[in-house]
Amino acid sequence: MKNLYVKFIMVLTMIWGITATVSADEFTPYDNLSEAVKELIANRDVAGKLLEDGDLMNDEIKAALRDVLADVDAVLDSSRINDLDEVNQALERLLNAIRDAQKSVEEYKDLSDAIKQFVEDEKGKIDDMLDKLSEEYGGVSNIPDEILDAIEQWMKDLDAMLKELLENGASQEMLDAFNKVQDMRDVLKAGGYNIPELEDVVAGATGITSVTTSMHDNSAEYGLNGNMVSGNYKGIVIKNGKKFIKK
């Protein structure tokens, strides 16, 4: 149980809206115990919020932040709170941990944005590729199904990768690669994601399979398996005997 002094400071923090104002790079030990405690509590709240939003934080840095918070709580919950040197030392450690955590979050957000842009750019190549294939095969409807299947699977792989990374966060290996190289494919490979070039996907697709459909409703859309699909379907569809990609 926190002592009455700490509780009193916490109440004042909430009432007055006291926020953290000191960065680790500028840290100068406090001469006043009360001010030092208020700053420690304010920054403890900042650190707690970072942990709540810590999905994009490096696991090692997150663990370090938890350890520092445990030490801060130990100071606040004991007689150490009456020792100005102890409070200043805890505050400095906490500020350093917050700085590292904020840097980690920013780096992961930058990487996340770069991956989103990569997926968007890759999908942007599909229209040009279809135009090229249409010219080569004399129309989109004449493009071999194996090629279209390969393109559709490639799109699904991109979406699955993006969803997984946004849900689970990128690995430290990916972040390290992101800070060293410019090619996003190399960054993704560091995380175990091998996304080939669209040209390689098309070149690797061989064989020709014809698609025969019976469509009485000219507005209906069908997948390559011949089953009707909904308007929300994404991928290669057949409508009025012609194939096209819905993104």
Side-chain angles (χ1 to χ4, degrees), residues 16-231:
W16 295 339
I18 298 173
T19 57
T21 57
V22 180
S23 70
D25 293 336
E26 307 170 339
F27 182 74
T28 300
Y30 280 84
D31 295 325
N32 182 281
L33 179 62
S34 177
E35 290 296 323
V37 171
K38 283 191 287 187
E39 194 67 29
L40 184 62
I41 292 172
N43 280 283
R44 197 249 178 266
D45 291 340
V46 171
K49 185 65 170 62
L50 276 171
L51 280 179
E52 289 177 6
D53 301 333
D55 290 343
L56 295 177
M57 196 185 303
N58 175 281
D59 287 341
E60 183 178 339
I61 291 177
K62 191 186 301 184
L65 183 57
R66 286 198 183 100
D67 289 343
V68 172
L69 279 176
D71 182 53
V72 168
D73 288 340
V75 171
L76 295 175
D77 284 334
S78 69
S79 61
R80 294 165 64 191
I81 195 173
N82 299 311
D83 187 323
L84 180 59
D85 288 338
E86 287 270 12
V87 174
N88 274 320
Q89 290 170 15
L91 177 57
E92 184 173 14
R93 288 194 297 270
L94 180 59
L95 290 171
N96 282 325
I98 289 174
R99 178 200 59 200
D100 292 341
Q102 288 174 333
K103 180 181 178 182
S104 177
V105 169
E106 290 173 2
E107 288 178 339
Y108 271 88
K109 285 183 178 179
D110 288 343
L111 175 55
S112 178
D113 289 342
I115 292 173
K116 290 178 184 177
Q117 187 62 52
F118 170 79
V119 171
E120 183 177 334
D121 291 344
E122 288 297 294
K123 287 187 174 182
K125 299 176 181 178
I126 293 176
D127 289 337
D128 289 340
M129 177 57 70
L130 287 179
D131 288 342
K132 179 180 177 181
L133 291 170
S134 178
E135 182 177 349
E136 181 178 347
Y137 288 95
V140 174
S141 60
N142 295 326
I143 299 174
D145 290 340
E146 284 195 0
I147 292 179
L148 295 177
D149 286 343
I151 294 175
E152 185 170 24
Q153 185 58 53
W154 179 77
M155 290 173 58
K156 290 179 179 178
D157 290 343
L158 281 172
D159 289 334
M161 176 197 69
L162 181 60
K163 180 180 179 181
E164 181 176 333
L165 287 173
L166 292 181
E167 288 180 351
N168 302 327
S171 66
Q172 181 63 38
E173 290 78 12
M174 290 180 66
L175 184 59
D176 291 341
F178 182 62
N179 290 329
K180 294 177 182 177
V181 300
Q182 299 297 318
D183 191 339
M184 280 303 300
R185 279 190 168 77
D186 290 337
V187 174
L188 294 170
K189 284 179 181 178
Y193 299 96
N194 187 15
I195 303 298
E197 295 276 3
L198 179 57
E199 291 80 0
D200 295 335
V201 170
V202 172
T206 58
I208 298 177
T209 305
S210 62
V211 173
T212 303
T213 59
S214 257
M215 293 179 286
H216 301 290
D217 181 0
N218 289 335
S219 64
E221 297 177 345
Y222 299 81
L224 291 178
N225 58 7
N227 295 327
M228 187 180 295
V229 297
S230 68

